[in-house]
């Protein structure tokens, strides 16, 4: 689907699609309303991230940013107890680097619908990335640099998280290490503040998302350079 010329906001009626989908949750209903989903959510989401990508050019100079990727709305139910076929959110990202999405970072990730979230970073490291992360975090020079970048991001209102955070420092590393908290992380995600109420319906959402992503960029670039 071709993206809109520029992000103008999601329709105020767009959330109704997910409320109806949650109530119906059938393939027949979704296929009958697929065009509504693409027009109300996929097209403006693609336009939104295209706008944000342009805003992040200076923050990611020298780092390739992929084209906006909107994730499938279909759920993988092969190993899930919940067999509902569709998600009640739309998720999309701008990935950094040229590798597979799961091994690349996100300059920005946004999820909208019945739940909202926005952030940036690496949700979960591959085993090879995790080994490099621990080595660089433990090292005096690179580790201190990262700690300073994370502190600045937190001061700007971002939160540090990951798919998995250990309770204890990994075996073989000093449990009293000055960067013990970072060593427990198996990913590096910077969560943005809660999206202001109603902002997704306005063109200003693009600027807000871009500003948050710029605050996260120094940490994401550090991970891209030393870990990814």
């Amino acid at each position: 689907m071709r993206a809109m010329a520029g992000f103008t906001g999601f329709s105020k009626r767009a959330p109704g699609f997910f409320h109806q989908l949650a109530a119906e949750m059938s393939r027949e209903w979704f296929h009958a309303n697929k065009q509504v989903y693409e027009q109300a959510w996929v097209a403006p989401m693609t336009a939104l991230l295209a706008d944000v990508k342009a805003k992040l050019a200076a923050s990611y100079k020298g780092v390739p940013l992929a084209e906006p990727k909107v994730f499938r709305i279909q759920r993988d139910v092969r190993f899930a107890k919940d067999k509902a076929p569709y998600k009640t959110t739309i998720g999309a990202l701008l990935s950094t680097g040229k590798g597979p999405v799961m091994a690349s970072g996100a300059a920005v990730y946004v999820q909208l619908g019945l739940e909202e979230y926005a952030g940036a970073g690496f949700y979960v490291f591959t085993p090879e990335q995790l080994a490099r992360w621990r080595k660089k975090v433990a090292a005096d020079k690179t580790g201190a640099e990262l700690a300073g970048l994370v502190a600045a991001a937190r001061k700007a209102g971002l939160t540090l998280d990951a798919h998995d955070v250990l309770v204890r420092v990994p075996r073989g590393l000093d449990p009293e290490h000055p960067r013990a908290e970072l060593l427990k992380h198996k990913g590096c995600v910077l969560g943005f503040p809660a999206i202001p109420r109603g902002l997704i319906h306005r063109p200003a959402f693009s600027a807000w998302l871009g500003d948050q992503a710029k605050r996260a960029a120094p940490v994401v670039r550090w991970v891209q350079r030393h870990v990814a």
Side-chain angles (χ1 to χ4, degrees):
M1 169 174 285
R2 189 167 62 184
M4 302 165 73
F7 180 71
T8 57
F10 293 92
S11 166
K12 290 186 177 181
R13 292 184 291 181
F17 170 85
F18 284 117
H19 287 285
Q20 293 176 24
L21 177 60
E24 298 287 344
M25 201 49 73
S26 72
R27 290 175 175 83
E28 293 76 17
W29 186 90
F30 177 76
H31 285 296
N33 292 273
K34 184 177 180 180
Q35 188 173 2
V36 174
Y37 169 66
E38 292 179 345
Q39 292 177 346
W41 288 107
V42 177
M45 178 67 87
T46 304
L48 170 65
L49 290 192
D51 279 5
V52 173
K53 180 181 179 181
K55 290 177 171 64
L56 293 179
S59 299
Y60 282 91
K61 188 176 181 179
V63 176
L65 293 180
E67 291 302 309
K69 176 179 176 57
V70 178
F71 290 104
R72 288 164 50 89
I73 192 173
Q74 291 83 2
R75 295 180 63 247
D76 185 351
V77 299
R78 289 174 297 173
F79 308 106
K81 291 183 179 179
D82 179 2
K83 298 300 182 181
Y86 299 104
K87 304 169 188 173
T88 53
T89 58
I90 181 172
L93 60 68
L94 291 174
S95 62
T96 61
K98 297 181 179 179
V101 170
M102 292 306 295
S104 300
V108 61
Y109 168 80
V110 60
Q111 175 180 293
L112 301 173
L114 299 193
E115 296 178 358
E116 294 185 347
Y117 174 83
F122 291 71
Y123 183 57
V124 58
F125 293 137
T126 66
E128 295 79 11
Q129 289 173 339
L130 182 58
R132 290 193 291 270
W133 164 265
R134 289 172 176 169
K135 180 179 179 180
K136 293 295 184 178
V137 170
D140 290 340
K141 183 177 180 180
T142 51
E145 179 187 8
L146 175 63
L149 296 176
V150 169
R154 282 174 159 163
K155 188 174 181 179
L158 308 185
T159 57
L160 181 66
D161 202 357
H163 169 66
D164 191 11
V165 180
L166 301 176
V167 175
R168 298 180 181 82
V169 172
R171 184 177 299 177
L173 295 171
D174 180 7
E176 302 301 323
H177 194 285
R179 290 177 292 281
E181 178 193 5
L182 293 172
L183 290 170
K184 295 175 185 177
H185 279 64
K186 299 179 76 172
C188 182
V189 174
L190 293 167
F192 300 170
I195 299 171
R197 185 178 178 86
L199 185 60
I200 71 168
H201 304 302
R202 296 162 46 202
F205 184 36
S206 172
W208 181 89
L209 198 59
D211 287 344
Q212 303 304 325
K214 288 176 185 177
R215 295 182 178 108
V219 174
V220 179
R221 291 202 60 166
W222 183 96
V223 180
Q224 187 72 40
R225 182 169 66 252
H226 294 291
V227 176

